[in-house]
Amino acid sequence: MPVSKAQQKAVNKYRANNYDLIQITTPKGKKDIIKAHAAARGESVNAYINHAIDEAMEREK
């Protein structure tokens, strides 16, 4: 079922108010490797990257 313009506007407003956006660049081909690794763990790429960052920050305390 297609998303209405009102629904998309509400989603965009929620995201803008509740999340920060960080863009990263990787060498060609690495995105596919990350995507496959995340999928193997049953996670989205976003969740995988967030977990990796959290683990690294915890180790560095």
Coordinates of all heavy atoms in Angstrom, one line a residue:
M1 N 0.8 -1.2 0.0 CA 0.0 0.0 0.0 C 0.9 1.2 0.0 O 1.8 1.4 0.8 CB -0.9 0.0 1.2 CG -1.8 1.1 1.3 SD -3.1 0.7 2.6 CE -3.1 2.2 3.5
P2 N 0.7 2.2 -0.9 CA 1.5 3.4 -1.0 C 1.3 4.3 0.2 O 0.2 4.3 0.9 CB 1.0 4.1 -2.2 CG 0.0 3.1 -2.9 CD -0.3 2.1 -2.0
V3 N 2.3 5.0 0.5 CA 2.3 5.9 1.7 C 1.8 7.2 1.2 O 2.2 7.7 0.2 CB 3.8 6.1 2.2 CG1 3.8 7.1 3.3 CG2 4.3 4.7 2.7
S4 N 0.9 7.8 2.0 CA 0.3 9.1 1.6 C 1.3 10.2 1.8 O 2.2 10.0 2.6 CB -1.0 9.4 2.3 OG -0.7 9.6 3.7
K5 N 1.1 11.3 1.2 CA 1.9 12.5 1.4 C 1.9 12.9 2.9 O 2.9 13.3 3.5 CB 1.5 13.6 0.5 CG 1.9 13.4 -0.9 CD 1.5 14.6 -1.8 CE 1.8 14.3 -3.2 NZ 1.6 15.4 -4.1
A6 N 0.7 12.8 3.5 CA 0.6 13.2 4.9 C 1.4 12.3 5.8 O 2.1 12.7 6.8 CB -0.8 13.2 5.3
Q7 N 1.4 11.0 5.5 CA 2.1 10.0 6.3 C 3.6 10.3 6.2 O 4.4 10.2 7.1 CB 1.8 8.6 5.9 CG 0.5 8.1 6.3 CD 0.2 6.7 5.7 OE1 0.3 6.5 4.5 NE2 -0.2 5.8 6.6
Q8 N 4.1 10.5 4.9 CA 5.5 10.7 4.7 C 6.0 12.0 5.4 O 7.0 12.1 6.0 CB 5.8 10.8 3.2 CG 7.3 10.8 2.9 CD 8.0 9.6 3.5 OE1 7.6 8.5 3.2 NE2 9.0 9.8 4.2
K9 N 5.1 13.0 5.4 CA 5.4 14.3 6.0 C 5.6 14.1 7.5 O 6.5 14.6 8.2 CB 4.4 15.3 5.7 CG 4.6 16.7 6.3 CD 3.6 17.7 5.9 CE 3.9 19.1 6.5 NZ 2.8 20.0 6.1
A10 N 4.7 13.3 8.1 CA 4.7 13.0 9.5 C 6.0 12.2 9.9 O 6.7 12.5 10.9 CB 3.5 12.2 10.0
V11 N 6.4 11.2 9.1 CA 7.6 10.4 9.3 C 8.8 11.3 9.2 O 9.7 11.3 10.0 CB 7.7 9.3 8.3 CG1 9.1 8.6 8.3 CG2 6.6 8.2 8.6
N12 N 8.9 12.2 8.2 CA 10.0 13.1 8.0 C 10.1 14.0 9.2 O 11.2 14.3 9.7 CB 9.9 13.9 6.8 CG 10.1 13.0 5.5 OD1 10.6 11.9 5.6 ND2 9.6 13.5 4.4
K13 N 9.0 14.5 9.7 CA 9.0 15.4 10.9 C 9.5 14.7 12.1 O 10.3 15.2 12.9 CB 7.6 16.0 11.1 CG 7.5 17.0 12.3 CD 6.1 17.6 12.4 CE 6.1 18.5 13.6 NZ 4.7 19.0 13.8
Y14 N 9.0 13.5 12.3 CA 9.5 12.7 13.5 C 11.0 12.4 13.4 O 11.7 12.6 14.4 CB 8.7 11.3 13.5 CG 9.2 10.4 14.6 CD1 8.6 10.6 15.9 CD2 10.1 9.4 14.4 CE1 9.1 9.8 16.9 CE2 10.5 8.6 15.4 CZ 10.0 8.8 16.7 OH 10.4 8.0 17.7
R15 N 11.5 12.0 12.2 CA 12.9 11.8 12.1 C 13.7 13.0 12.4 O 14.7 13.0 13.0 CB 13.2 11.3 10.7 CG 12.8 9.9 10.4 CD 13.2 9.5 9.0 NE 13.7 8.1 9.0 CZ 13.9 7.5 7.9 NH1 13.8 8.1 6.7 NH2 14.4 6.3 7.9
A16 N 13.3 14.2 11.8 CA 14.0 15.4 12.0 C 14.1 15.8 13.5 O 15.1 16.3 14.0 CB 13.4 16.5 11.2
N17 N 13.0 15.5 14.2 CA 13.0 15.9 15.7 C 13.7 14.9 16.6 O 14.0 15.2 17.7 CB 11.5 16.0 16.1 CG 10.9 17.3 15.5 OD1 11.5 18.2 15.2 ND2 9.5 17.2 15.4
N18 N 13.9 13.6 16.1 CA 14.3 12.6 17.0 C 15.7 11.9 16.6 O 16.2 11.1 17.4 CB 13.3 11.5 17.1 CG 12.0 12.0 17.9 OD1 12.0 12.2 19.1 ND2 11.0 12.3 17.1
Y19 N 16.2 12.2 15.5 CA 17.4 11.6 15.0 C 18.4 12.5 14.4 O 18.0 13.5 13.8 CB 17.1 10.5 14.0 CG 16.3 9.3 14.5 CD1 14.9 9.3 14.4 CD2 16.9 8.3 15.2 CE1 14.2 8.2 14.9 CE2 16.2 7.2 15.8 CZ 14.8 7.2 15.6 OH 14.1 6.2 16.1
D20 N 19.6 12.3 14.5 CA 20.7 13.0 13.8 C 21.1 12.1 12.6 O 21.1 10.9 12.8 CB 21.9 13.2 14.7 CG 21.7 14.2 15.8 OD1 20.9 15.2 15.6 OD2 22.2 14.0 16.9
L21 N 21.4 12.7 11.5 CA 21.8 12.0 10.4 C 23.3 12.1 10.2 O 23.9 13.2 10.2 CB 21.1 12.5 9.1 CG 21.5 11.9 7.8 CD1 21.1 10.4 7.7 CD2 20.8 12.7 6.6
I22 N 24.0 11.0 10.0 CA 25.5 11.0 9.8 C 25.7 10.2 8.5 O 25.2 9.1 8.4 CB 26.2 10.3 10.9 CG1 26.0 11.0 12.2 CG2 27.7 10.2 10.6 CD1 26.6 10.3 13.4
Q23 N 26.4 10.8 7.5 CA 26.7 10.1 6.3 C 28.1 9.7 6.3 O 29.0 10.5 6.8 CB 26.5 11.0 5.1 CG 25.0 11.3 4.8 CD 24.8 12.2 3.6 OE1 25.3 13.3 3.5 NE2 24.1 11.6 2.6
I24 N 28.4 8.5 5.8 CA 29.8 8.1 5.8 C 30.1 7.7 4.3 O 29.2 7.3 3.6 CB 30.1 6.9 6.7 CG1 29.3 5.6 6.3 CG2 29.8 7.2 8.2 CD1 29.7 4.4 7.0
T25 N 31.4 7.7 4.0 CA 31.8 7.2 2.7 C 32.8 6.1 2.9 O 33.5 6.0 3.9 CB 32.5 8.4 1.9 OG1 33.6 8.9 2.7 CG2 31.6 9.5 1.6
T26 N 32.7 5.1 2.0 CA 33.5 3.9 2.1 C 34.1 3.7 0.7 O 33.5 4.1 -0.3 CB 32.8 2.7 2.6 OG1 31.7 2.4 1.7 CG2 32.2 2.9 4.0
P27 N 35.2 3.0 0.6 CA 35.7 2.6 -0.7 C 34.6 1.7 -1.5 O 33.9 1.0 -0.9 CB 36.9 1.8 -0.4 CG 37.3 2.1 1.0 CD 36.0 2.5 1.7
K28 N 34.7 1.8 -2.8 CA 33.8 1.1 -3.7 C 33.8 -0.4 -3.3 O 34.9 -1.0 -3.0 CB 34.1 1.2 -5.1 CG 33.7 2.5 -5.8 CD 32.3 2.4 -6.1 CE 31.9 3.6 -6.9 NZ 30.5 3.8 -7.1
G29 N 32.7 -1.0 -3.1 CA 32.6 -2.4 -2.8 C 32.4 -2.7 -1.3 O 31.9 -3.8 -0.9
K30 N 32.9 -1.8 -0.4 CA 32.8 -2.0 1.0 C 31.4 -2.0 1.5 O 31.0 -2.7 2.4 CB 33.7 -1.0 1.8 CG 33.8 -1.4 3.2 CD 34.9 -0.7 3.9 CE 35.1 -1.2 5.3 NZ 36.2 -0.4 6.0
K31 N 30.5 -1.2 0.9 CA 29.1 -1.1 1.3 C 28.5 -2.5 1.2 O 27.8 -2.9 2.1 CB 28.4 -0.1 0.4 CG 26.9 0.0 0.7 CD 26.2 1.0 -0.2 CE 24.7 1.0 0.0 NZ 24.1 1.9 -1.0
D32 N 28.7 -3.2 0.1 CA 28.2 -4.5 -0.1 C 28.7 -5.5 1.0 O 27.9 -6.4 1.5 CB 28.4 -5.1 -1.5 CG 27.7 -4.3 -2.5 OD1 26.6 -3.7 -2.2 OD2 28.2 -4.2 -3.7
I33 N 30.0 -5.4 1.4 CA 30.5 -6.3 2.4 C 29.9 -6.0 3.7 O 29.5 -6.9 4.5 CB 32.1 -6.0 2.5 CG1 32.7 -6.5 1.2 CG2 32.6 -6.8 3.7 CD1 34.2 -6.1 1.0
I34 N 29.7 -4.7 4.1 CA 29.1 -4.3 5.3 C 27.6 -4.8 5.3 O 27.1 -5.4 6.3 CB 29.1 -2.8 5.6 CG1 30.6 -2.4 5.7 CG2 28.3 -2.4 6.7 CD1 30.8 -0.8 5.7
K35 N 26.9 -4.6 4.2 CA 25.5 -5.0 4.1 C 25.4 -6.5 4.3 O 24.5 -7.0 5.1 CB 25.0 -4.6 2.7 CG 23.5 -4.6 2.6 CD 23.1 -4.0 1.2 CE 21.7 -4.0 1.0 NZ 21.3 -3.4 -0.2
A36 N 26.3 -7.3 3.7 CA 26.2 -8.8 3.8 C 26.5 -9.2 5.3 O 25.9 -10.1 5.8 CB 27.2 -9.4 2.9
H37 N 27.5 -8.6 5.9 CA 27.9 -8.9 7.3 C 26.7 -8.6 8.2 O 26.4 -9.4 9.1 CB 29.1 -8.2 7.7 CG 29.8 -8.7 8.9 ND1 30.5 -9.8 9.0 CD2 29.7 -8.2 10.2 CE1 30.9 -10.1 10.2 NE2 30.4 -9.0 11.0
A38 N 26.1 -7.4 8.0 CA 25.0 -7.1 8.9 C 23.8 -8.1 8.7 O 23.2 -8.5 9.7 CB 24.5 -5.6 8.5
A39 N 23.5 -8.4 7.5 CA 22.5 -9.4 7.2 C 22.7 -10.7 7.8 O 21.8 -11.4 8.4 CB 22.3 -9.5 5.7
A40 N 24.0 -11.2 7.8 CA 24.4 -12.4 8.4 C 24.1 -12.4 9.9 O 23.9 -13.4 10.5 CB 25.8 -12.8 8.1
R41 N 24.2 -11.2 10.5 CA 23.9 -11.1 12.0 C 22.5 -10.8 12.2 O 22.1 -10.6 13.4 CB 24.8 -10.0 12.5 CG 26.3 -10.3 12.5 CD 27.1 -9.1 13.0 NE 26.6 -8.5 14.3 CZ 27.3 -8.4 15.4 NH1 28.5 -8.7 15.4 NH2 26.7 -7.8 16.4
G42 N 21.7 -10.7 11.2 CA 20.2 -10.4 11.4 C 19.9 -8.9 11.7 O 19.0 -8.6 12.4
E43 N 20.8 -8.1 11.2 CA 20.7 -6.6 11.5 C 20.6 -5.8 10.3 O 21.1 -6.2 9.2 CB 21.9 -6.1 12.4 CG 22.0 -6.7 13.7 CD 23.2 -6.1 14.5 OE1 24.3 -6.0 13.9 OE2 23.0 -5.8 15.7
S44 N 20.0 -4.6 10.4 CA 20.1 -3.7 9.3 C 21.5 -3.1 9.3 O 22.3 -3.2 10.3 CB 19.1 -2.6 9.5 OG 19.4 -1.8 10.6
V45 N 21.9 -2.5 8.2 CA 23.2 -1.8 8.1 C 23.3 -0.7 9.2 O 24.3 -0.6 9.9 CB 23.4 -1.2 6.7 CG1 24.7 -0.3 6.7 CG2 23.6 -2.3 5.7
N46 N 22.2 0.1 9.4 CA 22.2 1.1 10.4 C 22.4 0.5 11.8 O 23.2 1.0 12.6 CB 20.9 1.9 10.3 CG 20.9 3.1 11.2 OD1 21.6 4.0 10.9 ND2 20.0 3.1 12.2
A47 N 21.7 -0.5 12.1 CA 21.8 -1.1 13.4 C 23.2 -1.7 13.6 O 23.8 -1.5 14.7 CB 20.8 -2.2 13.6
Y48 N 23.7 -2.3 12.6 CA 25.1 -2.9 12.7 C 26.1 -1.8 12.9 O 27.0 -1.9 13.8 CB 25.4 -3.7 11.4 CG 26.8 -4.2 11.4 CD1 27.2 -5.3 12.2 CD2 27.8 -3.6 10.7 CE1 28.4 -5.8 12.3 CE2 29.1 -4.1 10.7 CZ 29.4 -5.2 11.5 OH 30.7 -5.6 11.6
I49 N 26.0 -0.7 12.2 CA 27.0 0.4 12.4 C 26.9 1.0 13.8 O 27.9 1.3 14.4 CB 26.9 1.4 11.3 CG1 27.3 0.8 9.9 CG2 27.6 2.7 11.6 CD1 27.0 1.7 8.7
N50 N 25.6 1.2 14.2 CA 25.4 1.8 15.6 C 26.0 0.9 16.6 O 26.6 1.3 17.6 CB 23.9 2.0 15.8 CG 23.5 3.4 15.3 OD1 24.0 4.4 15.8 ND2 22.6 3.4 14.4
H51 N 25.8 -0.5 16.5 CA 26.3 -1.4 17.5 C 27.9 -1.4 17.5 O 28.5 -1.4 18.5 CB 25.8 -2.8 17.2 CG 24.4 -3.0 17.6 ND1 23.6 -3.9 16.9 CD2 23.6 -2.5 18.6 CE1 22.4 -3.8 17.4 NE2 22.4 -3.0 18.5
A52 N 28.4 -1.3 16.3 CA 29.9 -1.3 16.2 C 30.5 0.0 16.8 O 31.5 -0.1 17.5 CB 30.3 -1.3 14.7
I53 N 29.8 1.1 16.6 CA 30.3 2.4 17.2 C 30.1 2.3 18.7 O 31.1 2.6 19.5 CB 29.5 3.6 16.7 CG1 29.8 3.8 15.2 CG2 29.7 4.8 17.5 CD1 28.9 4.8 14.5
D54 N 29.0 1.8 19.2 CA 28.8 1.7 20.7 C 29.9 0.8 21.3 O 30.4 1.1 22.4 CB 27.4 1.1 21.0 CG 26.3 2.1 20.7 OD1 26.6 3.3 20.5 OD2 25.1 1.7 20.6
E55 N 30.1 -0.4 20.7 CA 31.1 -1.3 21.2 C 32.5 -0.7 21.2 O 33.3 -0.8 22.2 CB 31.2 -2.6 20.4 CG 29.9 -3.5 20.6 CD 29.8 -4.7 19.7 OE1 30.8 -4.9 19.0 OE2 28.8 -5.3 19.7
A56 N 32.9 0.0 20.2 CA 34.2 0.7 20.1 C 34.3 1.8 21.2 O 35.4 1.8 21.9 CB 34.4 1.3 18.7
M57 N 33.3 2.5 21.4 CA 33.3 3.6 22.4 C 33.4 3.0 23.8 O 34.1 3.5 24.7 CB 32.1 4.5 22.3 CG 32.2 5.4 21.0 SD 30.8 6.5 20.6 CE 29.8 6.6 22.0
E58 N 32.7 1.9 24.0 CA 32.8 1.2 25.3 C 34.2 0.6 25.6 O 34.7 0.8 26.7 CB 31.7 0.1 25.4 CG 31.6 -0.6 26.7 CD 31.1 0.3 27.8 OE1 30.3 1.3 27.5 OE2 31.5 0.1 29.0
R59 N 34.8 0.1 24.6 CA 36.2 -0.5 24.8 C 37.2 0.6 25.1 O 38.1 0.4 25.8 CB 36.6 -1.2 23.5 CG 36.2 -2.6 23.3 CD 36.9 -3.3 22.2 NE 37.0 -2.5 21.0 CZ 36.2 -2.6 20.0 NH1 35.1 -3.4 20.0 NH2 36.4 -1.9 18.9
E60 N 36.9 1.8 24.5 CA 37.9 2.9 24.6 C 37.7 3.7 25.9 O 38.5 4.7 26.1 CB 37.8 3.8 23.4 CG 38.2 3.1 22.1 CD 38.0 3.9 20.9 OE1 37.5 5.1 21.0 OE2 38.2 3.4 19.8
K61 N 36.8 3.4 26.8 CA 36.6 4.1 28.0 C 37.8 4.0 28.9 O 38.5 3.0 29.0 CB 35.4 3.6 28.8 CG 34.1 4.2 28.2 CD 32.9 3.8 29.1 CE 31.6 4.4 28.6 NZ 30.5 4.0 29.4

